[in-house]
Amino acid sequence: GQQLNQSPQSMFIQEGEDVSMNCTSSSIFNTWLWYKQDPGEGPVLLIALYKAGELTSNGRLTAQFGITRKDSFLNISASIPSDVGIYFCAGPSSGNTPLVFGKGTRLSVIA
Amino acid sequence: NAGVTQTPKFQVLKTGQSMTLQCAQDMNHEYMSWYRQDPGMGLRLIHYSVGAGITDQGEVPNGYNVSRSTTEDFPLRLLSAAPSQTSVYFCASRDYGAADTQYFGPGTRLTVL
């Protein structure tokens, strides 16, 4: 089935640093979603992207829908301790299919 | 709105026991899904439903059954629990055709001894 490859698997950064992570697919996606999972909680949607080249921000978070439609990037600027968690990319392989998720990027922020 | 609710939050079973994980949503979403989360494996789809009376298998369906008799409820049944089913289980719901409306429940942490 569809697979989304996320990298890096984990990151340890200092508070205040910027963070970048990405997600690639072997096939085209029409929607890219980025979720964050806090420890002990269910994932929560951060950003949704709908067309190739789109750049969308949500506070300190910025995500981009790759031109090839096979990748997406998430950047977090000026990280803070509450950014700790697992970040997942996801998308439906076609309009109404279930969401496929990457394996996640685990972010740790050192104060 | 309560959103997506799951019960129980924690459960310990012995190998061979059966149980049902409950999931309910109050957003009138047609689409509901069950995922399991294991370390380093991300979220893997077990079963999903696009409406009452309709269910389909996901990536890892073996050992699990589902039914969808109402729009609100989507229980997941383990018929004979195995240690390999130790995991965190998440239920999710969304509007049909609107991937960006998917909400997750808080999860059920299951341990099978």
Side-chain angles (χ1 to χ4, degrees):
Chain A
Q2 293 278 358
Q3 284 193 334
L4 296 179
N5 300 306
Q6 272 189 261
S7 64
Q9 285 188 327
S10 62
M11 306 178 73
F12 288 83
I13 62 170
Q14 294 279 350
E15 184 176 356
E17 287 184 349
D18 297 343
V19 173
S20 283
M21 59 191 79
N22 69 72
C23 190
T24 60
S25 170
S26 57
S27 57
I28 288 172
F29 272 61
N30 293 318
T31 302
W32 282 96
L33 306 171
W34 284 93
Y35 281 82
K36 183 195 177 197
Q37 183 181 28
D38 289 328
E41 305 287 333
V44 173
L45 182 65
L46 296 173
I47 292 179
L49 302 159
Y50 304 100
K51 57 183 181 181
E54 179 181 356
L55 192 70
T56 297
S57 293
N58 178 5
R60 293 178 296 106
L61 278 62
T62 301
Q64 183 162 22
F65 194 138
I67 290 292
T68 66
R69 295 164 67 190
K70 292 184 178 182
D71 57 5
S72 179
F73 303 87
L74 176 69
N75 296 314
I76 305 173
S77 62
S79 59
I80 59 177
S82 62
D83 291 333
V84 164
I86 304 176
Y87 292 80
F88 292 101
C89 61
S93 56
S94 65
N96 293 318
T97 55
L99 296 188
V100 176
F101 283 80
K103 293 184 178 181
T105 293
R106 184 181 293 274
L107 179 64
S108 300
V109 179
I110 304 167
Chain B
N1 284 356
V4 180
T5 57
Q6 291 184 239
T7 56
K9 194 157 180 66
F10 300 95
Q11 182 70 48
V12 179
L13 293 178
K14 294 181 180 178
T15 297
Q17 286 185 317
S18 63
M19 80 158 295
T20 299
L21 307 186
Q22 302 292 345
C23 174
Q25 54 92 8
D26 61 0
M27 297 173 281
N28 204 32
H29 285 165
E30 303 96 335
Y31 218 121
M32 296 186 75
S33 305
W34 276 102
Y35 294 85
R36 61 177 288 174
Q37 183 177 23
D38 302 294
M41 299 297 291
L43 294 159
R44 293 185 291 170
L45 183 68
I46 305 171
H47 285 285
Y48 66 100
S49 168
V50 298
I54 306 169
T55 63
D56 208 344
Q57 296 182 349
E59 180 186 357
V60 288
N62 292 341
Y64 308 95
N65 277 0
V66 292
S67 60
R68 185 94 180 271
S69 56
T70 67
T71 299
E72 294 78 19
D73 301 297
F74 190 42
L76 178 73
R77 280 182 285 278
L78 283 71
L79 301 178
S80 178
S84 61
Q85 293 178 304
T86 293
S87 187
V88 182
Y89 292 85
F90 289 100
C91 179
S93 75
R94 72 176 218 232
D95 281 331
Y96 188 76
D100 59 354
T101 63
Q102 179 147 315
Y103 295 91
F104 283 85
T108 294
R109 185 174 294 274
L110 176 68
T111 301
V112 183
L113 303 175

Short mmCIF file of all heavy atoms in Angstrom, two decimals, chain A residues 16-40:
data_model
loop_
_atom_site.label_atom_id
_atom_site.label_comp_id
_atom_site.label_asym_id
_atom_site.label_seq_id
_atom_site.Cartn_x
_atom_site.Cartn_y
_atom_site.Cartn_z
N GLY A 16 14.78 27.63 21.05
CA GLY A 16 15.09 28.80 20.23
C GLY A 16 15.56 28.46 18.83
O GLY A 16 15.55 29.33 17.94
N GLU A 17 15.98 27.22 18.61
CA GLU A 17 16.43 26.83 17.28
C GLU A 17 15.24 26.59 16.35
O GLU A 17 14.13 26.34 16.79
CB GLU A 17 17.25 25.54 17.36
CG GLU A 17 18.63 25.70 17.95
CD GLU A 17 19.43 24.42 17.91
OE1 GLU A 17 18.84 23.35 17.61
OE2 GLU A 17 20.64 24.47 18.17
N ASP A 18 15.53 26.66 15.05
CA ASP A 18 14.53 26.32 14.04
C ASP A 18 14.63 24.83 13.71
O ASP A 18 15.69 24.22 13.83
CB ASP A 18 14.75 27.14 12.77
CG ASP A 18 14.57 28.63 12.99
OD1 ASP A 18 13.99 29.02 14.03
OD2 ASP A 18 15.02 29.41 12.13
N VAL A 19 13.52 24.26 13.27
CA VAL A 19 13.42 22.83 12.99
C VAL A 19 12.86 22.63 11.59
O VAL A 19 11.94 23.36 11.19
CB VAL A 19 12.49 22.14 14.00
CG1 VAL A 19 12.24 20.69 13.63
CG2 VAL A 19 13.04 22.27 15.40
N SER A 20 13.40 21.66 10.87
CA SER A 20 12.83 21.28 9.58
C SER A 20 12.67 19.77 9.52
O SER A 20 13.56 19.02 9.94
CB SER A 20 13.74 21.71 8.44
OG SER A 20 13.64 23.07 8.19
N MET A 21 11.57 19.33 8.98
CA MET A 21 11.33 17.91 8.77
C MET A 21 10.60 17.74 7.45
O MET A 21 9.96 18.69 6.97
CB MET A 21 10.54 17.28 9.92
CG MET A 21 9.20 17.90 10.18
SD MET A 21 8.45 17.33 11.74
CE MET A 21 9.32 18.31 12.95
N ASN A 22 10.71 16.53 6.87
CA ASN A 22 10.03 16.37 5.59
C ASN A 22 9.40 15.01 5.45
O ASN A 22 9.63 14.10 6.24
CB ASN A 22 10.97 16.68 4.42
CG ASN A 22 12.05 15.63 4.29
OD1 ASN A 22 11.80 14.51 3.88
ND2 ASN A 22 13.26 15.97 4.67
N CYS A 23 8.61 14.88 4.42
CA CYS A 23 7.84 13.68 4.16
C CYS A 23 7.80 13.46 2.66
O CYS A 23 7.56 14.40 1.89
CB CYS A 23 6.42 13.89 4.70
SG CYS A 23 5.40 12.44 4.73
N THR A 24 8.07 12.22 2.23
CA THR A 24 8.04 11.92 0.80
C THR A 24 7.16 10.70 0.55
O THR A 24 7.00 9.84 1.40
CB THR A 24 9.45 11.65 0.24
OG1 THR A 24 10.01 10.52 0.93
CG2 THR A 24 10.36 12.85 0.42
N SER A 25 6.63 10.67 -0.66
CA SER A 25 5.77 9.58 -1.07
C SER A 25 6.21 9.06 -2.43
O SER A 25 6.77 9.80 -3.23
CB SER A 25 4.32 10.06 -1.15
OG SER A 25 3.52 9.08 -1.76
N SER A 26 5.96 7.80 -2.68
CA SER A 26 6.28 7.24 -4.00
C SER A 26 5.20 7.58 -5.03
O SER A 26 5.39 7.38 -6.22
CB SER A 26 6.44 5.72 -3.90
OG SER A 26 5.25 5.14 -3.38
N SER A 27 4.08 8.09 -4.57
CA SER A 27 3.01 8.47 -5.49
C SER A 27 2.47 9.85 -5.14
O SER A 27 2.80 10.41 -4.10
CB SER A 27 1.88 7.43 -5.44
OG SER A 27 1.40 7.29 -4.13
N ILE A 28 1.67 10.37 -6.04
CA ILE A 28 1.16 11.73 -5.89
C ILE A 28 0.09 11.80 -4.82
O ILE A 28 -0.78 10.92 -4.74
CB ILE A 28 0.61 12.22 -7.25
CG1 ILE A 28 1.76 12.50 -8.21
CG2 ILE A 28 -0.26 13.45 -7.08
CD1 ILE A 28 1.31 12.80 -9.62
N PHE A 29 0.13 12.84 -4.01
CA PHE A 29 -0.92 13.13 -3.05
C PHE A 29 -1.60 14.44 -3.44
O PHE A 29 -0.94 15.38 -3.89
CB PHE A 29 -0.34 13.25 -1.64
CG PHE A 29 -0.26 11.94 -0.93
CD1 PHE A 29 0.51 10.90 -1.44
CD2 PHE A 29 -0.95 11.72 0.24
CE1 PHE A 29 0.59 9.68 -0.80
CE2 PHE A 29 -0.88 10.50 0.90
CZ PHE A 29 -0.11 9.48 0.39
N ASN A 30 -2.89 14.51 -3.25
CA ASN A 30 -3.64 15.74 -3.54
C ASN A 30 -3.86 16.60 -2.32
O ASN A 30 -4.27 17.76 -2.43
CB ASN A 30 -4.98 15.39 -4.18
CG ASN A 30 -4.81 14.79 -5.55
OD1 ASN A 30 -3.99 15.26 -6.34
ND2 ASN A 30 -5.55 13.74 -5.85
N THR A 31 -3.65 16.02 -1.16
CA THR A 31 -3.76 16.74 0.11
C THR A 31 -2.65 16.26 1.02
O THR A 31 -2.41 15.06 1.12
CB THR A 31 -5.12 16.49 0.79
OG1 THR A 31 -6.18 16.88 -0.08
CG2 THR A 31 -5.22 17.24 2.11
N TRP A 32 -1.97 17.21 1.65
CA TRP A 32 -0.97 16.86 2.67
C TRP A 32 -1.43 17.44 4.00
O TRP A 32 -1.86 18.59 4.06
CB TRP A 32 0.40 17.44 2.31
CG TRP A 32 1.14 16.68 1.25
CD1 TRP A 32 1.18 16.97 -0.08
CD2 TRP A 32 1.97 15.53 1.43
NE1 TRP A 32 1.96 16.06 -0.74
CE2 TRP A 32 2.47 15.16 0.15
CE3 TRP A 32 2.33 14.76 2.54
CZ2 TRP A 32 3.31 14.07 -0.04
CZ3 TRP A 32 3.17 13.67 2.35
CH2 TRP A 32 3.64 13.34 1.07
N LEU A 33 -1.31 16.63 5.04
CA LEU A 33 -1.69 17.05 6.38
C LEU A 33 -0.51 16.86 7.32
O LEU A 33 0.25 15.89 7.18
CB LEU A 33 -2.88 16.20 6.87
CG LEU A 33 -4.11 16.16 5.97
CD1 LEU A 33 -5.10 15.12 6.48
CD2 LEU A 33 -4.78 17.53 5.89
N TRP A 34 -0.38 17.78 8.26
CA TRP A 34 0.63 17.62 9.31
C TRP A 34 -0.08 17.61 10.66
O TRP A 34 -0.88 18.50 10.97
CB TRP A 34 1.65 18.75 9.27
CG TRP A 34 2.64 18.58 8.16
CD1 TRP A 34 2.56 19.10 6.89
CD2 TRP A 34 3.85 17.82 8.20
NE1 TRP A 34 3.64 18.69 6.15
CE2 TRP A 34 4.45 17.92 6.93
CE3 TRP A 34 4.49 17.07 9.19
CZ2 TRP A 34 5.67 17.29 6.62
CZ3 TRP A 34 5.69 16.44 8.89
CH2 TRP A 34 6.27 16.56 7.61
N TYR A 35 0.21 16.56 11.46
CA TYR A 35 -0.36 16.39 12.78
C TYR A 35 0.74 16.43 13.83
O TYR A 35 1.89 16.06 13.57
CB TYR A 35 -1.04 15.01 12.90
CG TYR A 35 -2.40 14.89 12.27
CD1 TYR A 35 -2.54 14.66 10.90
CD2 TYR A 35 -3.55 14.97 13.04
CE1 TYR A 35 -3.79 14.53 10.32
CE2 TYR A 35 -4.81 14.83 12.48
CZ TYR A 35 -4.92 14.62 11.12
OH TYR A 35 -6.16 14.48 10.56
N LYS A 36 0.34 16.81 15.04
CA LYS A 36 1.25 16.73 16.19
C LYS A 36 0.59 15.88 17.27
O LYS A 36 -0.62 16.03 17.53
CB LYS A 36 1.56 18.10 16.77
CG LYS A 36 2.57 18.02 17.92
CD LYS A 36 2.61 19.30 18.71
CE LYS A 36 3.57 19.12 19.88
NZ LYS A 36 3.40 20.14 20.93
N GLN A 37 1.39 15.01 17.88
CA GLN A 37 0.89 14.19 18.97
C GLN A 37 1.68 14.52 20.23
O GLN A 37 2.89 14.29 20.31
CB GLN A 37 1.04 12.70 18.65
CG GLN A 37 0.48 11.79 19.71
CD GLN A 37 0.66 10.32 19.39
OE1 GLN A 37 1.58 9.93 18.70
NE2 GLN A 37 -0.25 9.49 19.87
N ASP A 38 0.98 15.06 21.22
CA ASP A 38 1.58 15.28 22.53
C ASP A 38 1.64 13.95 23.27
O ASP A 38 0.82 13.06 23.03
CB ASP A 38 0.78 16.29 23.34
CG ASP A 38 0.91 17.69 22.79
OD1 ASP A 38 1.99 18.03 22.26
OD2 ASP A 38 -0.07 18.46 22.88
N PRO A 39 2.57 13.81 24.19
CA PRO A 39 2.68 12.55 24.95
C PRO A 39 1.36 12.17 25.62
O PRO A 39 0.73 12.99 26.29
CB PRO A 39 3.76 12.88 25.99
CG PRO A 39 4.59 13.94 25.34
CD PRO A 39 3.64 14.76 24.53
N GLY A 40 0.91 10.93 25.40
CA GLY A 40 -0.30 10.43 26.02
C GLY A 40 -1.60 10.92 25.40
O GLY A 40 -2.68 10.66 25.95
#
